[in-house]
Amino acid sequence: MNINKLIKDLKNGNNPEEQLGVYSQLLLYSYLRLTYGRFALNFTEKYDLLSEDGGSLVSEVFADVLALARTLGGGAAPDVPEAVRTLEGVRKRVIDALEDMEDYLNYFQVYEHALNRQSYKFADGLTVSDTEKLTGRLMGYITEKNDAQQINGRIQAVLAELPVRMTNTKFFELLERGCLCFAGARNDMADDFFLRMDALAAVPKLESLNASWSELYAMAQDFERVIPEELTKDECRELETKLTPTAQMVAANISDFVDLLELINELYILVIDTPYATRMPEECTKLSAILKAYIKAVDSGDFLDIDADILGGLEQTVKDQEKYLGEHMFMEDALEMVCEKYTDAIDGMMLGGIFKTLTVSKRLFIPSSREDISRIEPYYTVERDALLPRIKKLEETYTRSFKGCGQAMKRCMISRTLDFMPVPLDSLAAVEAFISGSLEGCTEYYERAASEAVLNDLMKAKVI
């Protein structure tokens, strides 16, 4: 089948009644083939991590995932209504848990940033580099890569670790520039961005955390009402010691919940798409056998001795994903156009069910998608004027937060904002000037040393 010609005919309105059924089956076939592969790869890779912690939310949810995986591995079609109810329930639990963990992450990261700076106040033998030389090294690090995305990532990382030396007016100017980068973006992307920005703009409060995570909540209580700049050396060291295991716990939880959400989204696609398929892709049949063999191996205790055929099948699946993904994205990109242009024809041919299923699949095909699939609304482009009230609301939140916290906390909040939002500077010359001004304006020797130490680690690690 010539996919290019099919999409072109649909765009041009050539024989839509003939083409719509073919297009829907091809895209459905593609979702099944790629999603089954994703699920098999993720399930086998993460099985040991997600199944080991008995009695936790992770193990409870994974038990439901495993039950559906057994059905797929047995080659049987799941009970669709029951499977959907199960997946909707566990998906909500995982998304709620992820949001709880992100609240804890935001809470602790602000204190971590402040304590890092404060701890240098009590250090001996601090040294700092010449501003011009350090600025040059940082610019060399930023421009080392030719890729624009990597350059922007490095700029964000550097800005987040510089000493914060700016007025509220200057910060709000940068905030507006960064937020306006979402003019012309898709509405769901802008919504996700502003949701996170709302969290960053509020001073972290204990009462905003879910107390049912008792161990984390107890740790958070130790930080309530802490004023970083008033901490003694011993108090600072004690809090820093508590932060390490806390950060590890939050990071582990987020990783587990993200892994679970991916598996749940993949299962959701497989469950709702299968009933509409006129035939199952050959790859899915092979992957079903792989899942069955893998589950049998772990059930029998042979987890460390997985059959070579399973490993070979998974290796082939990786290659298939690479081979088919480009074709899939080309077909998927046309879906919204097709649904909008041929609404009457789709309804008249009684294809509404399959196209609604394809639309849900598109939303869930994005790894870790948290979209509310109970009510699917069309995407649209966000206009500049629609962003201005949201930016004003953010500024008001920051203003209230800054009035209610100390200087160290305020600087931490600004740093974390610069780390998250798009780069608000329009040229490398402006970036260089900003770096130089931030370093030069920092007259507190210990803070300058703390910032330089983190920046040096950043340049050495070259994570971005």
Side-chain angles (χ1 to χ4, degrees), residues 94-142:
V94 169
I95 290 173
D96 288 347
L98 255 177
E99 291 173 351
D100 286 343
M101 288 304 108
E102 286 167 351
D103 288 342
Y104 274 102
L105 183 66
N106 181 52
Y107 183 90
F108 287 119
Q109 279 186 335
V110 170
Y111 287 105
E112 180 184 37
H113 190 283
L115 288 173
N116 171 267
R117 268 50 179 175
Q118 185 70 9
S119 65
Y120 273 75
K121 183 184 288 187
F122 310 108
D124 298 323
L126 295 177
T127 59
V128 297
S129 303
D130 173 76
T131 295
E132 185 176 346
K133 289 182 179 178
L134 181 54
T135 301
R137 287 173 54 221
L138 289 168
M139 291 304 299
Y141 165 73
I142 287 169

Side-chain angles (χ1 to χ4, degrees), residues 29-40:
Y29 183 99
S30 183
Y31 273 123
L32 286 170
R33 180 171 59 188
L34 287 172
T35 304
Y36 217 131
R38 281 186 177 184
F39 179 77

